[in-house]
Amino acid sequence: MKLYRFPSYAFRKSRSIIALYRKMLFVVIIFIFTLALSYYVLFPIYWPIAVLMVMISFFCVFRNEDRKYIKEEIRRAILGVTGEEKVINVLKNLSDEYLYVTNYPIAGLGDVDGILLGPKGFILIEVKTWLGQFMIIGGEWFKKFGDILKLHKNPFTQARSQRDHLQKLFDKIGLHVTIRPMIVLVDGKFDIRGKTGIWTETDQKLIKYIEELSDNSIIDSQREAILRVLNVP
């Protein structure tokens, strides 16, 4: 399998995180400066002033949303990249007839985790690193907690939106390509009840699942047009 990588969503988001860490560095500098000032210039008894100034600067510079944002983005980046790399390692067992494009960005819809082009056509892959056991009933996702089912975020919505966006791009240039969306659940388990309209599989069974799909081969001229639209060299 051949591989082309766009810069990941996590990588692009890291610039925002870096900006927040700069704020953190500013707070540290304020702390050191005021601590030194209170110790060497003012009387040592005034060291609480340093602590007070740091607390004020911290709450002025950082909003509560910023602190939650840093924690959540770091967690998502680690889990997301790990899951996507697992899928890439699995797909490496495919022949060189396949090209896998990662992290294709769509404004307002996030990244397409993976686009697989080859003998099985155009497969749009959405990778989820959700732990636990899930039940998919009539297109809705539920997470199992013992005998209790709780409604969960539905990845089908994002996959459909990304598929429809790409389909419109291709239709504009008269390129008729069938896009097959697929959800790949890494490390989690699921049970499907009824039809979902979107393929769902675990990373361990991904190769076997792809090989069993009906052939929907893309001819060379279509492949070249698709790569031009996606801006893949």
Side-chain angles (χ1 to χ4, degrees):
M1 180 201 73
K2 298 176 183 177
L3 178 66
Y4 180 83
R5 295 176 185 264
F6 280 95
S8 69
Y9 175 81
F11 174 80
R12 297 195 304 274
K13 275 289 186 181
S14 66
R15 284 181 281 186
S16 299
I17 296 174
I18 288 172
L20 293 176
Y21 275 122
R22 286 175 179 167
K23 293 181 180 181
M24 188 179 293
L25 178 62
F26 173 76
V27 171
V28 171
I29 291 173
I30 290 292
F31 173 73
I32 294 173
F33 175 77
T34 53
L35 191 63
L37 181 67
S38 64
Y39 185 81
Y40 291 106
V41 179
L42 302 174
F43 292 106
I45 196 173
Y46 292 132
W47 70 265
I49 296 175
V51 176
L52 180 62
M53 289 186 67
V54 169
M55 291 175 63
I56 293 173
S57 62
F58 182 82
F59 284 101
C60 287
V61 172
F62 282 99
R63 299 170 300 170
N64 185 49
E65 291 80 2
D66 289 336
R67 298 191 291 275
K68 290 181 179 178
Y69 176 81
I70 292 175
K71 183 178 179 180
E72 179 63 16
E73 286 298 324
I74 290 175
R75 185 190 69 82
R76 287 179 59 188
I78 292 173
L79 285 177
V81 171
T82 301
E84 289 166 20
E85 288 301 320
K86 282 185 177 181
V87 171
I88 290 172
N89 288 332
V90 170
L91 292 176
K92 283 180 179 177
N93 294 308
L94 293 172
S95 70
D96 284 344
E97 294 178 282
Y98 288 91
L99 170 65
Y100 191 58
V101 179
T102 69
N103 304 112
Y104 177 73
I106 299 179
L109 296 176
D111 286 1
V112 177
D113 291 332
I115 294 172
L116 185 66
L117 300 174
K120 302 300 180 179
F122 189 120
I123 302 174
L124 184 153
I125 296 178
E126 177 66 23
V127 180
K128 292 303 178 187
T129 53
W130 297 338
L131 301 177
Q133 192 162 359
F134 298 86
M135 182 81 74
I136 306 171
I137 305 173
E140 293 291 343
W141 281 62
F142 299 85
K143 188 167 185 178
K144 297 182 71 174
F145 297 91
D147 295 330
I148 300 174
L149 295 179
K150 290 189 177 181
L151 192 64
H152 195 271
K153 182 178 179 181
N154 194 333
F156 293 159
T157 303
Q158 182 179 7
R160 288 192 185 98
S161 297
Q162 292 175 340
R163 176 199 60 192
D164 294 345
H165 176 87
L166 291 173
Q167 200 78 66
K168 288 178 182 178
L169 290 181
F170 297 145
D171 290 344
K172 282 182 180 179
I173 63 171
L175 183 61
H176 303 294
V177 177
T178 300
I179 300 175
R180 295 168 157 176
M182 176 185 288
I183 307 298
V184 178
L185 189 61
V186 178
D187 296 329
K189 297 179 180 179
F190 64 89
D191 184 15
I192 299 178
R193 303 289 175 88
K195 295 182 178 181
T196 64
I198 292 183
W199 293 301
T200 305
E201 193 48 87
T202 60
D203 56 313
Q204 297 94 337
K205 298 180 181 179
L206 183 56
I207 292 292
K208 183 175 182 293
Y209 197 81
I210 290 173
E211 289 175 345
E212 290 178 351
L213 291 174
S214 59
D215 288 341
N216 190 17
S217 187
I218 297 173
I219 62 176
D220 290 342
S221 60
Q222 287 179 314
R223 183 185 177 105
E224 291 172 2
I226 289 171
L227 296 180
R228 282 197 301 271
V229 172
L230 299 179
N231 200 26
V232 175

